[in-house]
Amino acid sequence: MINITNAKSIVGEKQSLTIKSHQNIEINAEGLTIFPGLIDPHVHFRTPGMEHKENWLTAAKAAIYGGYTTVFDMPNTLPPTTTAALLAEKKSLIDAQLKEIGIPLRYELFFGADKSHLSEIYKVRDAVIGIKVFMGCSTGNLVIDDDESLHAVFAIAATQDMLVAVHAEDEQRIHARKHQFKDVKEYPVHSKIRDKEVATIAVEKAISLSRIYKTRLYVLHTSTADEVRLIKQAKKENLPVFAETTPHHLFLNESAYATIKGKAVVNPPLRESSDNIALFEAIKDGVIDTIGSDHAPHTEAEKARVYGECPSGMPGIETTLPLLLDAHHQGKISLEAIVNITSTNAQKIFRLPKTEDTVLVDLNKTAEVDPAKLKTKCGWSSFAGKKLRGWPVYTIVNGHCFELI
Ligand code: DOR
Ligand code: ZN
């Protein structure tokens, strides 16, 4: 048993807790606040094929140090997860790595929709958390850029009661704008090529497909005020539409190119400060349901390449909760909203069973984000040097207690 005494709930009430475990641990949690184990619905842990960037040995540790007890991994690996056989292979690689490191991290996998393997969807129905559709290309070469295949995926998903998660960026417009800006080699052009309209067009299309087929739709990494407007409208219509945002779209904007350069390059791109504000508002209004770290590590050398050769994505799973807790101290978000977007909403949307997973948080611990202390293999953070108030200090997953020291 793990016995936690003298803790507080997020509303400040004294709380004790006993969690089933083969370990016998007493935690005097004086000064600590109890959170449910965090669920990250959007990570790229890179196994198989891109393990020079990350693998589950390092990423599972990073998850635990971020307060996460459940993660959903994306299919844009090498090879991409587009068949039942590849899915089974990926699972066994992950299980072996988690066993090796002794971290019983809970995980689910997204299945990659691919034009030439649509019939595979039926085979994996009960083995995956949902179907990922890249409407525009990103890291890897998974993309569905024709309407016929998009209709087919949404239709199949609806008949199978599967959720479709969309990377909503319109491939045609990306292509046209890449051509238009082909001679510009500075990083900020990334936000111009993949402009807000790129996202608006794709979100509009995804919502209309959800309307036609009644498909459960999850809009990944919502980054603009305009997407928020469309999602709000869809929810008003009672469509089964859910939305995620990311820590980088909440806490960074285009001004970051000047300081962190290629490390700021991400898909969808960083936007304006007015979008940061709109996303916080959307959390408050219940339009945004979840936050996904979109933990997408690349090596520092890869991120130092010139624009065009610099891959998109940044790590995030270790800093998401401290960023949110720090924002709470600044009056930008309530603790209740943090619990909702980091755990309870995902549990409902993805129909996960309830667990006893718990995170003990020191709301007043202040520390700088120190890349040298991060567990992710990539060893860097877009938030390096940022002083944050509020850090997890114990993560309990599947009856295992990890003290985060
Ligand atoms: O910036 C991104 N990086 N966006 C994505 O869609 C994929 C991700 C990655 O896997 O690197
Ligand atoms: Zn992603």
Side-chain angles (χ1 to χ4, degrees):
M1 292 289 190
I2 300 170
N3 268 326
I4 301 167
T5 49
N6 298 322
K8 283 205 171 117
S9 71
I10 57 161
V11 292
E13 284 163 354
K14 266 211 149 183
Q15 202 179 329
S16 294
L17 199 62
T18 301
I19 296 171
K20 267 193 242 91
S21 172
H22 58 276
Q23 299 171 297
N24 271 319
I25 299 179
E26 297 285 333
I27 301 174
N28 181 351
E30 188 73 51
L32 303 182
T33 301
I34 295 185
F35 281 62
L38 272 58
I39 300 166
D40 193 338
H42 188 163
V43 303
H44 302 263
F45 280 0
R46 305 303 193 201
T47 295
M50 290 190 271
E51 295 189 285
H52 66 290
K53 300 175 194 275
E54 188 78 282
N55 60 32
W56 288 69
L57 301 174
T58 43
K61 228 174 168 185
I64 295 298
Y65 272 73
Y68 284 89
T69 55
T70 304
V71 300
F72 302 169
D73 193 55
M74 288 299 169
N76 59 330
T77 44
L78 275 179
T81 322
T82 52
T83 67
L86 288 167
L87 181 79
E89 276 170 39
K90 181 171 177 178
K91 275 199 162 154
S92 64
L93 290 171
I94 293 170
D95 290 342
Q97 292 189 14
L98 290 178
K99 194 169 172 201
E100 182 180 335
I101 198 168
I103 297 179
L105 186 68
R106 297 179 202 270
Y107 74 91
E108 301 285 345
L109 301 179
F110 273 105
F111 190 67
D114 168 32
K115 286 177 228 203
S116 47
H117 294 105
L118 290 183
S119 60
E120 293 282 320
I121 295 174
Y122 298 95
K123 300 189 203 162
V124 299
R125 188 201 149 162
D126 298 321
V128 297
I129 199 71
I131 304 165
K132 167 87 179 261
V133 174
F134 281 91
M135 297 173 78
C137 62
S138 194
T139 301
N141 45 18
L142 271 180
V143 66
I144 296 212
D145 55 1
D146 67 294
D147 284 354
E148 197 186 331
S149 308
L150 273 180
H151 275 264
V153 173
F154 274 71
I156 295 170
T159 65
Q160 302 303 301
D161 192 23
M162 292 171 82
L163 174 144
V164 172
V166 287
H167 179 117
E169 289 194 288
D170 183 70
E171 182 64 12
Q172 276 79 27
R173 187 171 168 92
I174 295 172
H175 196 75
R177 290 181 69 82
K178 252 188 197 158
H179 182 72
Q180 195 178 331
F181 291 98
K182 65 179 185 314
D183 299 325
V184 187
K185 290 286 170 222
E186 278 93 49
Y187 300 117
V189 79
H190 192 62
S191 294
K192 291 203 172 63
I193 293 173
R194 293 174 179 255
D195 68 350
K196 295 184 190 185
E197 192 63 20
V198 162
T200 305
I201 294 169
V203 167
E204 215 156 29
K205 191 182 269 184
I207 290 173
S208 74
L209 289 166
S210 162
R211 187 183 293 115
I212 294 170
Y213 298 104
K214 305 279 173 290
T215 319
R216 284 157 43 73
L217 172 67
Y218 182 77
V219 179
L220 296 154
H221 38 49
T222 306
S223 62
T224 68
D226 212 34
E227 289 169 283
V228 167
R229 179 183 59 76
L230 293 169
I231 293 158
K232 190 172 185 173
Q233 184 56 39
K235 288 191 168 188
K236 263 201 195 130
E237 274 184 60
N238 277 323
L239 298 179
V241 172
F242 310 97
E244 170 196 279
T245 192
T246 72
H248 40 281
H249 292 110
L250 278 175
F251 294 100
L252 298 175
N253 52 53
E254 288 173 56
S255 67
Y257 291 116
T259 50
I260 59 169
K261 307 191 169 68
K263 288 176 178 167
V265 174
V266 63
N267 297 334
L270 300 179
R271 309 293 189 188
E272 295 177 279
S273 57
S274 56
D275 295 292
N276 299 143
I277 294 166
L279 293 172
F280 270 106
E281 275 301 305
I283 291 172
K284 207 184 279 171
D285 296 347
V287 178
I288 297 279
D289 301 281
T290 61
I291 186 164
S293 72
D294 199 357
H295 182 82
H298 299 283
T299 67
E300 282 204 277
E302 288 165 340
K303 293 295 274 181
R305 293 181 192 152
V306 294
Y307 185 69
E309 287 161 40
C310 165
S312 294
M314 59 176 77
I317 200 163
E318 289 168 87
T319 44
T320 302
L321 180 60
L323 283 165
L324 289 169
L325 296 171
D326 191 72
H328 165 69
H329 289 300
Q330 293 173 37
K332 289 183 176 175
I333 185 169
S334 68
L335 290 181
E336 192 191 358
I338 293 177
V339 169
N340 287 339
I341 64 167
T342 60
S343 188
T344 38
N345 288 348
Q347 198 222 319
K348 287 179 204 150
I349 294 166
F350 294 96
R351 302 167 175 165
L352 300 177
K354 283 222 163 79
T355 72
E356 292 190 304
D357 293 352
T358 297
V359 180
L360 296 176
V361 165
D362 183 346
L363 288 177
N364 290 313
K365 175 176 169 181
T366 301
E368 261 183 27
V369 176
D370 178 358
K373 290 191 184 144
L374 295 176
K375 309 299 174 198
T376 171
K377 193 170 189 175
C378 76
W380 60 272
S381 166
S382 296
F383 301 98
K386 203 170 158 64
K387 208 180 213 185
L388 299 174
R389 179 174 166 212
W391 290 80
V393 291
Y394 288 93
T395 298
I396 299 158
V397 54
N398 231 323
H400 271 61
C401 181
F402 294 91
E403 190 176 357
L404 312 178
I405 38 175

